[in-house]
Amino acid sequence: MCAICNFKIDFGVGHPLALTVAVATRKAIDAGIVEPIDATGGALSAARMRMSAVEALNLLQARIEAAHSEDALLALPDFYVLLIENDTWGFFHATTNGFDPDVVPEMPDVTTTDEAKRSNIVIMSEAGLRAWLEQRFDIELALRESLFMIDAPASSTGSLTQMLAIAEPAVTDDC
């Protein structure tokens, strides 16, 4: 499992691009491309949502690990994934045994304008991630429609995009 992180980011803003992803996700839900995540209230609602987000990150991790050779995995830059529904962060650091679940990353830098200090971050909704994993749309549509956004230095953006494209489930014709 990737490292699941509890970051306290000021003003509850998980990432400046989260609103863009949220709007794109709402449009996809309205269009029937993405199923909404069950946000049923109750005493255990937050815990259920967190566990669901962690499960979705584990599914993404498994998909990436299965699609990449050891050398390709090790060539990936370290990166964060933010699931916007409840600010669940995952940190992905590749090792020869897959992604390291025990690494303790620094808090991602989400505001710097210094290219050298920018964190590699993939921003998505859990609903969008699950729909992509279920082959409801491809990575090209996800990036074009802002269902997934990559906020990273130019040197990492291409490899993260390629990583997702390689890990992409085959989209079926009946979608």
Side-chain angles (χ1 to χ4, degrees), residues 1-3 61 64-65 68-80 91-103 160 163:
M1 178 170 98
C2 65
Q61 173 187 335
I64 294 168
E65 288 175 344
H68 290 79
S69 68
E70 181 180 309
D71 289 340
L73 201 60
L74 290 171
L76 293 173
D78 290 350
F79 64 97
Y80 298 86
F91 181 71
F92 292 75
H93 171 76
T95 70
T96 56
N97 295 319
F99 290 111
D100 185 353
D102 298 321
V103 67
L160 292 173
M163 171 197 70

Side-chain angles (χ1 to χ4, degrees), residues 26-42:
R26 173 49 52 195
K27 287 180 183 176
I29 289 170
D30 291 345
I33 297 170
V34 172
E35 293 294 321
I37 296 298
D38 181 15
T40 306

Side-chain angles (χ1 to χ4, degrees), residues 34-139:
V34 172
E35 293 294 321
I37 296 298
D38 181 15
T40 306
L44 298 177
S45 176
R48 280 193 304 272
M49 287 182 65
R50 177 75 169 179
M51 293 307 297
S52 179
V54 170
E55 176 192 42
L57 287 171
N58 286 333
L59 292 170
L60 174 62
Q61 173 187 335
R63 181 64 53 93
I64 294 168
E65 288 175 344
H68 290 79
S69 68
E70 181 180 309
D71 289 340
L73 201 60
L74 290 171
L76 293 173
D78 290 350
F79 64 97
Y80 298 86
V81 173
L82 169 62
L83 298 182
I84 64 170
E85 286 90 346
N86 61 355
D87 290 336
T88 299
W89 289 84
F91 181 71
F92 292 75
H93 171 76
T95 70
T96 56
N97 295 319
F99 290 111
D100 185 353
D102 298 321
V103 67
V104 179
E106 295 291 320
M107 190 164 83
D109 192 334
V110 300
T111 60
T112 188
T113 57
D114 183 350
E115 179 91 358
K117 294 182 180 177
R118 288 177 64 196
S119 298
N120 300 314
I121 305 170
V122 180
I123 306 104
M124 59 181 67
S125 66
E126 179 188 344
L129 173 57
R130 287 183 181 278
W132 178 71
L133 290 169
E134 293 167 1
Q135 307 170 347
R136 301 203 53 185
F137 56 85
D138 62 21
I139 195 63

